[in-house]
């Protein structure tokens, strides 16, 4: 960035995000950038064209979204993909046969499925580890991984991994450190500032934020890695559509404002759950008794709005709680303006058998909330009514 010695101070990331791409329309001077749906662009003469020729390879609307997301993550650039999974797929193209990928045991289910299937067909090797364990960190050096994959906070118990420690190790052994930052968004955590090489997002979640786009992004700290990921995105044909990019850019303008309310509401919800006897345990990094609290305090700039908790009473309690909620929709996904509740054992983590679920700490009474931006009083009242239904079942009153 150019520094003007006497000029005004540079705008804050909040202002940059709200105003990203404004004034990009030189044709009609529209304030908000228009959407370019065209699949192709004019050549001046055979072999001679401007910045764009074909939308799979490059598109002005998608470029504006990429610039906005790269700026949010403090990266050198970004690639916008058709889904979070295609963002993850293009990053794994950096691995060759024989290379080792280290990934968390409790990473996103779709990532786990992709890594396992690719390893089975010999694309690369994969080893699933517990990256929150310091002993595993020191043993990892000898494994000589090519890529270290992190996801923090984890799903659904919100376990915290030390990004700086793994980035340092990755640098020392020549590995690429990738962080899936979907659960927090760049407002609450910027992994590149802690030394990571790449950040991946399911923009389906907080970045778009309105549960009406499926999309992904890869942000790079370094132009060479960015070029490689961009090359694979074009070669595989998994770039995001201009329309999705347009909606996602629109979503990022309100990311900071939304995140503030998401967090306020999440803290109210955590407090309400904590004081209720129907709840056995609450999982949220803001809690002092959360095992990752100190690391989260160091590397996060916000606590995030995913909250997990365990009901006393198992499955019957879950049914009584969920049946009758007005403000929490029973659905997978997260990060939208609307509040959601999910039952990991039968929904997001249903592909794990009972033993694997138990080993991962996913009990039958565990619920995960994505706390939205409705009025906190309504959210808390809705949850408290649900917890009353749980108590009533426990007392055989209904
Ligand atoms: C949703 C999600 C993905 C996958 O993204 P899609 O947009 O659904 O393809 C990857 N990682 C995390 C952490 C997610 O929550």
């Amino acid at each position: 960035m150019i520094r003007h010695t006497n000029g005004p101070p540079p705008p804050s990331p909040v202002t940059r995000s709200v105003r990203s791409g404004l004034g990009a329309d030189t044709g009609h001077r529209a304030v908000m950038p228009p959407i370019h749906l065209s699949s192709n662009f004019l050549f001046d003469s055979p072999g001679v064209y401007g910045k764009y020729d074909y939308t799979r390879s490059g598109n002005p609307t998608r470029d504006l979204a990429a610039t906005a997301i790269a700026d949010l993550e403090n990266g050198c650039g970004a690639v916008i993909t058709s889904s979070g999974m295609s963002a993850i797929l293009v990053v794994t193209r950096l691995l060759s046969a024989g290379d080792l990928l280290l990934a968390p045991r409790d990473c996103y289910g779709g990532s786990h499925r992709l890594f396992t299937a690719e390893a089975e067909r010999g694309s690369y090797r994969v080893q699933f580890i517990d990256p929150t364990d310091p002993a595993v960190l020191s043993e990892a050096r000898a494994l000589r991984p090519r890529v270290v994959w992190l996801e923090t906070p984890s799903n659904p118990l919100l376990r915290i991994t030390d990004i700086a420690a793994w980035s340092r190790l990755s640098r020392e052994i020549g590995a690429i450190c990738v962080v899936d930052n979907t659960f927090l968004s760049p407002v609450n955590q910027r992994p590149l500032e802690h030394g990571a090489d790449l950040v991946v997002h399911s923009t389906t979640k907080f970045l778009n934020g309105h549960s009406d786009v499926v999309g992904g992004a890869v942000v790079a700290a370094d132009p060479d890695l960015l070029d490689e990921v961009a090359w694979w995105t074009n070669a595989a044909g998994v770039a995001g559509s201009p329309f999705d990019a347009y909606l996602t850019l629109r979503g990022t303008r309100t990311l900071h404002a939304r995140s503030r309310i998401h967090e306020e509401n999440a803290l109210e919800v955590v407090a309400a759950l904590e004081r209720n006897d129907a709840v056995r345990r609450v999982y949220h990094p803001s809690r002092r008794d959360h095992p990752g609290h100190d690391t989260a305090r160091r590397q996060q700039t916000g606590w995030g709005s995913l909250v997990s908790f365990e009901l006393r009473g198992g499955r019957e309690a879950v049914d009584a709680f969920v049946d009758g909620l007005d403000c929490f929709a029973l659905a997978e996904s997260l990060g939208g303006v609307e509040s959601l509740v999910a039952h990991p054992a039968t929904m997001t983590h249903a592909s794990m058998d009972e033993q694997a679920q138990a080993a991962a700490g996913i009990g039958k009474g565990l619920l995960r909330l994505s706390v939205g931006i409705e009025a906190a009083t309504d959210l808390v009242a809705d949850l408290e009514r649900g917890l009353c239904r749980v108590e009533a079942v426990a007392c055989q009153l209904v």
Side-chain angles (χ1 to χ4, degrees):
M1 185 184 293
I2 302 163
R3 252 176 223 283
H4 302 281
T5 40
N6 295 316
S12 90
V14 179
T15 306
R16 291 206 305 272
S17 173
V18 170
R19 303 185 62 85
S20 189
L22 264 62
D25 174 32
T26 50
H28 302 286
R29 306 177 69 223
V31 172
M32 283 298 160
I35 174 170
H36 292 282
L37 294 169
S38 187
S39 58
N40 45 5
F41 299 82
L42 285 170
F43 279 59
D44 292 333
S45 58
V48 182
Y49 56 93
K51 192 169 175 193
Y52 301 103
D53 60 341
Y54 187 56
T55 276
R56 167 159 47 72
S57 320
N59 174 278
T61 308
R62 198 166 61 227
D63 278 358
L64 290 179
T67 302
I69 292 175
D71 190 41
L72 281 163
E73 284 286 3
N74 216 352
C76 78
V79 167
I80 304 290
T81 59
S82 57
S83 68
M85 283 318 303
S86 58
I88 292 165
L89 179 75
V90 291
V91 171
T92 59
R93 294 305 90 183
L94 302 172
L95 291 150
S96 302
D99 284 348
L100 177 66
L101 165 69
L102 285 186
R105 271 206 301 257
D106 53 358
C107 65
Y108 178 69
S111 309
H112 198 283
R113 178 175 56 194
L114 176 71
F115 299 159
T116 305
E118 291 271 35
E120 276 169 7
R121 65 203 306 279
S123 309
Y124 45 80
R125 294 179 298 131
V126 67
Q127 195 167 327
F128 292 104
I129 57 161
D130 176 5
T132 67
D133 182 349
V136 170
L137 176 69
S138 50
E139 287 160 15
R141 182 186 300 275
L143 299 172
R144 295 271 145 194
R146 173 79 182 121
V147 170
V148 171
W149 197 275
L150 306 178
E151 197 180 306
T152 177
S154 73
N155 184 21
L157 298 183
L158 310 173
R159 285 144 40 86
I160 306 293
T161 299
D162 187 335
I163 297 171
W166 280 97
S167 298
R168 218 175 303 120
L169 175 83
S170 300
R171 187 128 313 166
E172 281 167 26
I173 60 177
I176 299 166
C177 184
V178 185
V179 179
D180 183 334
N181 199 27
T182 300
F183 264 39
L184 284 180
S185 97
V187 168
N188 295 322
Q189 178 169 273
R190 288 174 297 283
L192 302 182
E193 294 177 1
H194 301 287
D197 300 294
L198 293 173
V199 167
V200 303
H201 274 286
S202 167
T203 56
T204 311
K205 316 294 168 54
F206 287 100
L207 285 170
N208 178 61
H210 294 72
S211 304
D212 50 11
V213 168
V214 171
V218 183
V219 189
D222 161 277
D224 290 339
L225 269 183
L226 181 69
D227 285 350
E228 214 172 326
V229 170
W231 190 91
W232 277 109
T233 302
N234 179 47
V238 295
S241 80
F243 191 76
D244 289 351
Y246 171 83
L247 285 176
T248 303
L249 176 61
R250 193 179 195 259
T252 57
R253 294 191 196 289
T254 55
L255 179 64
H256 285 93
R258 280 186 280 119
S259 299
R260 219 157 39 220
I261 304 171
H262 274 298
E263 174 158 307
E264 267 173 37
N265 286 358
L267 293 175
E268 297 263 354
V269 162
V270 166
L273 293 172
E274 253 173 46
R275 61 177 176 252
N276 199 296
D277 289 337
V279 175
R280 178 173 292 137
R281 183 159 177 199
V282 182
Y283 298 89
H284 193 249
S286 68
R287 286 179 46 113
R288 275 176 220 290
D289 66 354
H290 189 285
H293 175 78
D294 292 335
T295 309
R297 183 177 279 286
R298 205 166 53 238
Q299 73 187 9
Q300 296 178 198
T301 43
W303 298 117
S305 48
L306 280 128
V307 179
S308 293
F309 65 101
E310 210 168 285
L311 285 173
R312 291 185 199 283
R315 184 57 200 265
E316 299 74 46
V318 165
D319 288 341
F321 177 78
V322 167
D323 187 18
L325 287 176
D326 295 319
C327 296
F328 288 81
L330 182 65
E332 296 188 356
S333 198
L334 56 114
V337 291
E338 80 289 9
S339 292
L340 300 174
V341 58
H343 182 233
T346 57
M347 295 169 67
T348 50
H349 292 68
S351 62
M352 290 166 91
D353 61 34
E354 206 162 314
Q355 209 174 352
Q357 286 187 354
I362 300 167
K364 290 189 174 21
L366 187 76
L367 287 163
R368 187 192 77 189
L369 304 177
S370 175
V371 180
I373 63 168
E374 301 91 340
T377 46
D378 289 333
L379 297 181
V380 167
D382 198 27
L383 293 175
E384 285 178 341
R385 283 193 297 272
L387 295 171
C388 279
R389 290 192 295 275
V390 172
E391 299 275 17
V393 167
C395 302
Q396 313 267 294
L397 293 175
V398 291

